[in-house]
Amino acid sequence: MKRRNFLECCMLSLVAAAAKAKGVGLETEASGSGRLKFGVISDIHPDIMHDGEHRLQVFLEAAAKNKVDFIIELGDFCFAKEANVPFRDLWDKFPGDKYHVLGNHDMDICTKEEYMEFVGMKSRYYSFDKGNFHFIVLDPNNLFVDGKYIPYKNGNFYVDTSQREHLDPEQVEWLKKDLASTDKRCILFSHECFENTVQNRELVRGILEAENERCGFKKVIAAFSGHDHTNYTKEINGITYIQINSASNQWVGEKYACPERFSEEINKRKPSLKYTVPYKDSLYAIVTLDSKSLKMKGRESSFIPPTPTDIGIPDTMYPFPLVPWIKDFDLRF
């Protein structure tokens, strides 16, 4: 590391207090140094799944057993409605620190503000510190139409895909300042991914890569996302992008609908379930961080039959594989 860049990065801690006062939703929490552990889950979809609450319960029990420092869900958590109050309350009863990320389907029946009030989110994007790490939560759930950025609300994102998934300028500027406000290593969380899905992903990746270049070391380590309901890791210019599979299923639509998979009673209660290929077990990951590595312990399952192969779903249906697992992954930095 160049001496000048090193000193510059060390001085960033002196301005962190000012950034906290000015930054939107900047949350800094005291935590011990050394090893850090968190649990991550995504796309539970209890409004589709017949056993969404059970899948969440399994994750929470695993998080408690592993004595994590916090838990985080990467969006598509639940609809903001009375029927989901027990599901939301189950999450809220977890005794440790917990964080939400906005998903596109979280705004299917309401505005962002209404959803955030339902789950208790103070800001749609924010950051927090744990131990030697700085975590950043972003919100790409915005349309860009006729030169205007429009927040997702009441299912308005069912439009041309090129208009979806944009990080708005206000958030982009906040991200630059937030990265500069810390001297800790950084990890990002979002629902949609910055390696494939977000429309202005190259702009965002450029900001992350520029911060690493400015500091002269790998300050931004990784970015976690959900949304695609699959499992992979991809390194781009020194930053690792990690896709967390859905806890529940992959959507396959009307062509491959399979109502015979479940009973008439379940299909009546969860009418969209037949359009998915559900996983037998809840999928999630436990991530351990230390000064030199990120180690992810995933969970493997199987499809509830009939499998995608059984019903003739081609491997080329999506640009990514249909898999019922989250694989273990180790990253050194």
Side-chain angles (χ1 to χ4, degrees):
M1 186 190 307
K2 295 180 180 178
R3 184 174 182 273
R4 180 179 178 182
N5 287 344
F6 174 78
L7 293 175
E8 184 180 26
C9 286
C10 289
M11 288 295 291
L12 291 174
S13 60
L14 298 178
V15 300
K20 180 179 180 181
K22 296 179 181 179
V24 179
L26 181 62
E27 302 174 4
T28 304
E29 303 182 10
S31 181
S33 61
R35 193 171 71 168
L36 183 70
K37 190 179 290 188
F38 66 87
V40 57
I41 192 169
S42 190
D43 299 86
I44 309 173
H45 287 290
D47 299 284
I48 293 175
M49 292 301 295
H50 62 300
D51 60 351
E53 191 167 323
H54 170 71
R55 290 173 188 265
L56 176 58
Q57 181 66 50
V58 169
F59 167 67
L60 297 176
E61 290 174 356
K65 181 179 179 180
N66 282 275
K67 298 180 180 179
V68 300
D69 294 277
F70 68 91
I71 58 173
I72 188 164
E73 60 85 14
L74 301 184
D76 287 1
F77 183 66
C78 70
F79 290 167
K81 62 182 184 181
E82 187 67 26
N84 284 331
V85 168
F87 180 84
R88 178 203 63 191
D89 289 351
L90 179 62
W91 174 271
D92 288 344
K93 288 175 183 176
F94 183 77
D97 292 337
K98 40 200 169 286
Y99 301 94
H100 289 287
V101 176
L102 290 173
N104 57 311
H105 289 295
D106 293 327
M107 281 75 72
D108 269 1
I109 64 170
C110 64
T111 65
K112 278 188 187 179
E113 292 76 14
E114 290 167 339
Y115 178 78
M116 288 165 59
E117 182 178 0
F118 183 76
V119 297
M121 288 181 72
K122 295 180 180 179
S123 302
R124 62 188 180 95
Y125 57 91
Y126 59 94
S127 61
F128 61 95
D129 288 348
K130 292 290 182 185
N132 296 322
F133 294 88
H134 184 70
F135 298 93
I136 299 170
V137 172
L138 296 176
D139 169 31
N141 297 287
N142 304 284
L143 301 174
F144 184 62
V145 183
D146 297 330
K148 296 181 180 179
Y149 291 87
I150 303 169
Y152 285 6
K153 60 179 179 179
N154 297 307
N156 65 342
F157 63 89
Y158 291 104
V159 293
D160 187 294
T161 55
S162 66
Q163 297 177 330
R164 304 178 189 170
E165 294 142 355
H166 287 80
L167 216 66
D168 53 284
E170 172 191 306
Q171 194 174 174
V172 168
E173 291 307 308
W174 173 87
L175 174 61
K176 294 176 184 176
K177 293 176 182 177
D178 186 75
L179 285 168
S181 74
T182 182
D183 59 352
K184 299 177 183 288
R185 291 189 185 271
C186 300
I187 291 177
L188 277 68
F189 298 112
S190 61
H191 184 61
E192 298 88 349
C193 69
F194 291 106
E195 65 274 18
N196 297 313
T197 308
V198 175
Q199 296 297 325
N200 53 350
R201 56 189 176 273
E202 292 184 2
L203 169 65
V204 176
R205 292 204 306 259
I207 292 169
L208 306 181
E209 293 161 14
E211 183 65 12
N212 284 356
E213 177 68 21
R214 186 181 71 84
C215 285
F217 72 104
K218 188 179 286 189
K219 180 177 180 180
V220 181
I221 302 167
F224 287 81
S225 63
H227 185 59
D228 287 338
H229 294 219
T230 191
N231 170 240
Y232 63 78
T233 60
K234 184 176 183 179
E235 182 178 323
I236 303 175
N237 295 331
I239 299 171
T240 301
Y241 296 84
I242 303 171
Q243 172 71 204
I244 297 297
N245 203 341
S246 165
S248 302
N249 63 65
Q250 177 60 267
W251 184 268
V252 294
E254 290 187 13
K255 182 177 180 179
Y256 299 105
C258 186
E260 62 270 22
R261 180 180 284 114
F262 294 101
S263 68
E264 183 178 345
E265 184 275 329
I266 290 178
N267 285 326
K268 183 176 181 180
R269 183 162 54 89
K270 299 292 181 179
S272 295
L273 183 57
K274 61 179 174 287
Y275 303 121
T276 74
V277 283
Y279 312 143
K280 180 180 177 182
D281 305 293
S282 177
L283 302 185
Y284 53 83
I286 304 296
V287 180
T288 303
L289 295 163
D290 60 31
S291 61
K292 297 181 180 180
S293 67
L294 178 157
K295 296 183 179 180
M296 185 171 77
K297 181 69 175 177
R299 194 170 195 227
E300 298 193 30
S301 183
S302 58
F303 290 108
I304 296 175
T307 69
T309 301
D310 293 338
I311 56 181
I313 297 176
D315 293 338
T316 56
M317 179 173 181
Y318 290 109
F320 46 77
L322 275 66
V323 294
W325 58 63
I326 298 174
K327 293 286 188 179
D328 295 352
F329 174 71
D330 289 355
L331 172 67
R332 296 193 65 81
F333 45 82

